[in-house]
Amino acid sequence: MKVKITSSKIVKPAHGGGRAAPPSADESVPLNVFDRVTYDVHIAVIYAFRPPTPPNAALEQGLARALAVYREWAGRLGDGPDGRPAVLLNDAGARLVEAAVDAPLATSMPFKPSPELLRLHPSIVAGRVEELVQVQLTRFACGSLVVGFTAHHRVADGQATGNFLVAWGLATRRLPVEPLPVCDRATRFLPRGTPLVEFPHRGTEYYLPVPPAKKRGDDDDDEGIGGVAHDKIKVHKVLFTKEFVARLKARVSSGVPPPTHHHHHHHRRGHYSTFESVVGHLWRAVTAARGLGAGETTTLRISVNGRTRMRPPVPHTYFGNVVLWAFPRCDAADLVSRPHAAELIRRAVSRVDDAYFRSFIDFASSGAVEREGLATTADESEVVMCPDLEVDSWLGISFYDLDFGGGGPFHFMPSYLPMEGTMFLLPSFLGDGGGIEAYVSLFEGHLEEFKRICYNIA
């Protein structure tokens, strides 16, 4: 796939519509505790649209209008007047790249999660990208359009970014952007008058980094697991059909003994959600494929959206991050031999409730993080998670609702992200829906075994 870049420009917000004067360009919005605890990285996604699609000029105008509503995306990360990390609302703009491929899209489909995908969106090399949103519009000879979109995670989580993409589509169709985003990140998550830190946040969201001087002298670990270089990490896409998911849920639910010590169960026994069933299945399959055995603990990091969990609930239109993590863990041999992964996941996620979110806000606002020199465990520089895993579910996010006027996308996926042990879950486009796509990053040496067993329902 030879991608030829034809232009690259900055798109500024189109303030207008009867406003007497454009908003002040020296404002800033401080990042709150959720923004600062998440990954400091651009996330890239890729869409494909069949013709007809509007011309690039219309998409650009739509972007300018959407940026006027979501001003943070046109700003820059920096320090606010008080010296704290902030989004500077300077309207410096987003980047728009135009590109062309002199072949029909069909010759490149289906997209594989490989380095070739990186040509379909602007660079996301950390520290070298000023723009918080970047877009690449790649036109294929058949008239199809591929949109590569990158957005900085510190500004917004998946749900908020999905809302912005939908807004871009509406603005391109010259429809009003509604619902409007709720932009009160500076004031929404304040610590309680009497802070109550009920849970251990050191060792979950934060840890104390070991000074480099105290590390062992040998650097053998830099190669990865057992001397495996990082270029041996491959991303594999698994498709679980609607039928497979139904069979998996039935199997997971039938094999669960009644809980003896948990009388306050939210669900009737043995009715596990698609998420609990599929993630538990993947956790077991990856652990088996890695060859982990008794005495090794495997921990799963699961993103938990606080919008529906906090009381009162946070509006689904809230613009920013409201994500913490659940950490179910298990002995590797025990996990593989017993079908209780879904139950471990359910229990761990249910503990990340309103009380947990409030406790986190109180701890993260207390000054302890700065005083003790704590770092966040959400570390984008960590390329290898083994024996652990991380799962990001995009099952409930409106990514698929992006419509520029010619209908929704016929393909959507995360870009190539070779971080060993990461899993992305998406609803599948194939057939009548109900299926799940999982993008799983593993060492090449573990991948063959994973492929061999990932459709076994044990």
Side-chain angles (χ1 to χ4, degrees):
M1 183 171 57
K2 290 177 83 166
V3 179
K4 185 180 171 212
I5 305 288
T6 55
S7 86
S8 178
K9 63 176 95 161
I10 290 289
V11 177
K12 303 209 170 195
H15 298 297
R19 287 189 77 142
S24 158
D26 55 6
E27 294 172 54
S28 67
V29 180
L31 295 181
N32 66 30
V33 289
F34 295 113
D35 303 322
R36 297 200 304 269
V37 79
T38 195
Y39 292 94
D40 187 10
V41 67
H42 279 81
I43 299 290
V45 294
I46 289 165
Y47 285 95
F49 294 89
R50 298 193 199 283
T53 54
N56 288 358
L59 293 163
E60 181 183 335
Q61 286 163 2
L63 182 62
R65 282 202 283 275
L67 289 172
V69 178
Y70 287 82
R71 263 187 92 200
E72 278 107 318
W73 282 137
R76 295 292 181 263
L77 289 174
D79 292 329
D82 58 359
R84 298 173 75 91
V87 183
L88 312 177
L89 299 181
N90 56 12
D91 289 349
R95 181 158 299 279
L96 177 72
V97 175
E98 297 176 278
V101 173
D102 194 14
L105 180 57
T107 58
S108 301
M109 294 294 288
F111 287 136
K112 294 196 171 46
S114 73
E116 198 169 37
L117 288 178
L118 302 177
R119 299 179 201 165
L120 294 171
H121 62 79
S123 164
I124 51 173
V125 177
R128 301 203 199 144
V129 183
E130 282 191 14
E131 300 87 12
L132 302 180
V133 157
Q134 308 176 100
V135 172
Q136 182 173 316
L137 307 176
T138 306
R139 299 278 175 179
F140 286 73
C142 57
S144 295
L145 166 68
V146 169
V147 177
F149 177 87
T150 88
H152 203 290
H153 209 320
R154 288 260 156 118
V155 179
D157 58 19
Q159 183 166 345
T161 303
N163 291 344
F164 171 72
L165 284 157
V166 171
W168 178 23
L170 290 168
T172 300
R173 284 143 65 195
R174 299 194 162 267
L175 296 168
V177 170
E178 55 184 24
L180 288 170
V182 174
C183 299
D184 58 356
R185 78 175 74 212
T187 53
R188 178 168 288 273
F189 302 111
L190 301 176
R192 291 169 284 199
T194 310
L196 176 61
V197 179
E198 286 185 81
F199 301 93
H201 300 286
R202 296 175 190 82
T204 46
E205 297 87 10
Y206 298 100
Y207 74 105
L208 183 60
V210 180
K214 291 193 182 140
K215 273 192 183 155
R216 298 194 313 280
D218 60 321
D219 287 323
D220 299 344
D221 288 351
D222 289 355
E223 281 284 291
I225 305 292
V228 184
H230 296 328
D231 63 359
K232 295 284 191 286
I233 299 170
K234 295 280 181 278
V235 183
H236 177 64
K237 176 181 163 182
V238 191
L239 173 66
F240 295 133
T241 62
K242 186 178 181 177
E243 295 72 27
F244 180 90
V245 171
R247 279 183 21 236
L248 179 63
K249 283 167 82 166
R251 175 71 191 87
V252 168
S253 297
S254 69
V256 179
T260 48
H261 55 289
H262 266 278
H263 297 300
H264 54 278
H265 245 28
H266 298 305
H267 309 252
R268 295 200 310 276
R269 164 173 93 73
H271 284 266
Y272 288 102
S273 68
T274 294
F275 175 83
E276 291 160 346
S277 307
V278 170
V279 173
H281 175 71
L282 286 166
W283 188 17
R284 296 178 74 198
V286 167
T287 301
R290 283 165 160 177
L292 300 173
E296 294 190 80
T297 299
T298 170
T299 302
L300 182 60
R301 173 189 278 262
I302 302 175
S303 299
V304 178
N305 183 346
R307 284 174 183 75
T308 54
R309 293 178 167 265
M310 294 187 72
R311 293 290 169 263
V314 177
H316 70 96
T317 50
Y318 170 77
F319 183 53
N321 289 278
V322 205
V323 171
L324 291 177
W325 298 273
F327 293 96
R329 49 178 51 95
C330 192
D331 176 85
D334 184 36
L335 183 75
V336 172
S337 64
R338 292 197 10 233
H340 65 318
E343 179 64 23
L344 295 175
I345 288 166
R346 170 175 293 178
R347 279 189 215 161
V349 171
S350 70
R351 285 196 284 265
V352 188
D353 55 8
D354 180 64
Y356 190 91
F357 272 89
R358 299 278 168 206
S359 170
F360 169 79
I361 293 167
D362 289 353
F363 177 76
S365 310
S366 69
V369 174
E370 295 79 3
R371 267 196 316 278
E372 298 172 28
L374 300 179
T376 60
T377 57
D379 179 6
E380 60 286 342
S381 68
E382 200 176 317
V383 185
V384 177
M385 302 253 174
C386 188
D388 301 331
L389 275 163
E390 164 153 3
V391 61
D392 275 293
S393 168
W394 293 355
L395 297 179
I397 297 176
S398 57
F399 286 124
Y400 295 84
D401 298 337
L402 173 57
D403 180 355
F404 294 115
F410 77 91
H411 191 70
F412 169 77
M413 68 188 293
S415 179
Y416 172 68
L417 184 71
M419 281 176 73
E420 192 273 347
T422 53
M423 304 191 292
F424 286 94
L425 260 55
L426 286 68
S428 169
F429 262 169
L430 289 179
D432 52 358
I436 301 280
E437 290 174 7
Y439 290 82
V440 182
S441 294
L442 287 174
F443 283 121
E444 215 168 5
H446 298 149
L447 190 54
E448 286 316 306
E449 178 65 7
F450 174 77
K451 287 182 190 174
R452 201 178 65 72
I453 64 176
C454 70
Y455 295 110
N456 298 349
I457 296 183

